[in-house]
Amino acid sequence: MTAKRTPSARRDRRGRRRPFSVEGRLAEHVDKLADEHPPIPIDSADYTMVRPELVAEKFGPVVTYMSRVELEVERNVLELNILLPDPPAVDKHFYADVWLPQEVHHGLLLDRLQTLAGLPVATPDLTHVNFSFKVLGVLGNWSPIQDVSRMLYYLTGVATEQSAIIAYNRLHQGLLDLGEKAVASTIIAPIRRQEPGHFAYYKIAAQGLWSEITPWQKWLVRTLRRYTFEPVGAYTKKQWAQFGDVMHHLGITSGGEEELLRYAQQIGRFELEMLYAHRQGLRIPTYVLDSLKAAARLAAANTRQA
């Protein structure tokens, strides 16, 4: 038997009161994701390709990058277990029981696709944890710091999922334009249907926690976010360049400065509206656009050297 909850609030493990509306919404959302979006069966994919060599030429860098990123969620969960010593139960249920198996299957589907298109298998890093995560994990035993880490986790999740939604939409359309209906409809379409649910989870969680934390915690979140933002899956200079290549093959950087700005605005819109609501006239957090420009420059430099 569980303790009866009041309509307005409940207490977490550390005795802090959290709005029931937020926790209740998150719990219902995770249950719905689990029920309606189980991991995509690997044998449900039709890998028939009309011209696999053209798929590799046009979208090989995209599929290769995304398959690695999807498979690295195993390491991401390891990082979260270190970063958040005492997370809310709903968070752990989401990332360990629902998000992880969904994303692993995305990675396996994409990895199989790229190998059949003549590309190398994915080489994800599943074990290396950055030292900064270990430091924040130790500091996170003090709950105000763990709340800051949670906010950064949610913000990263929002930006990551927004990037994924854009990428899968463009990849799906690009494959249809090539006449590759089978892989577009049985691999990319099912994957892209699962990403908005992840985006919604992070958004709800971020909005709820932001309303609870203190001004100094908000200042620290803004500061750390400004110095730690990076394109999804890009942890090294090589991976930054690879992300720039992904943007090129998806037509994001080929559209010029204005297209890149629109992309940056899509990725950074949520944290602009929440973290910087007090900054009138700010179109986008500058660190988002600066990071994407840096990735594009590295990719262009690699192309010139090739």
Side-chain angles (χ1 to χ4, degrees), residues 8-23:
S8 60
R10 61 168 293 175
R11 292 186 181 275
D12 66 14
R13 295 178 186 175
R14 295 177 181 270
R16 297 167 300 183
R17 295 176 68 81
R18 305 184 69 227
F20 174 70
S21 58
V22 173
E23 187 159 306

Side-chain angles (χ1 to χ4, degrees), residues 73-140:
V73 298
E74 290 189 30
R75 191 195 71 241
N76 296 152
V77 169
L78 178 62
E79 292 169 339
L80 287 169
N81 287 334
I82 293 172
L83 183 66
L84 306 176
D86 185 26
V90 68
D91 275 2
K92 192 155 191 176
H93 177 41
F94 168 70
Y95 67 70
D97 302 328
V98 179
W99 177 74
L100 171 63
Q102 287 179 348
E103 299 287 271
V104 168
H105 277 228
H106 296 177
L108 294 173
L109 288 162
L110 292 172
D111 191 32
R112 178 64 174 159
L113 173 61
Q114 72 178 352
T115 57
L116 291 175
L119 298 166
V121 297
T123 55
D125 176 3
L126 304 181
T127 58
H128 176 71
V129 177
N130 192 288
F131 182 69
S132 61
F133 283 90
K134 298 176 183 179
V135 172
L136 284 173
V138 172
L139 296 176

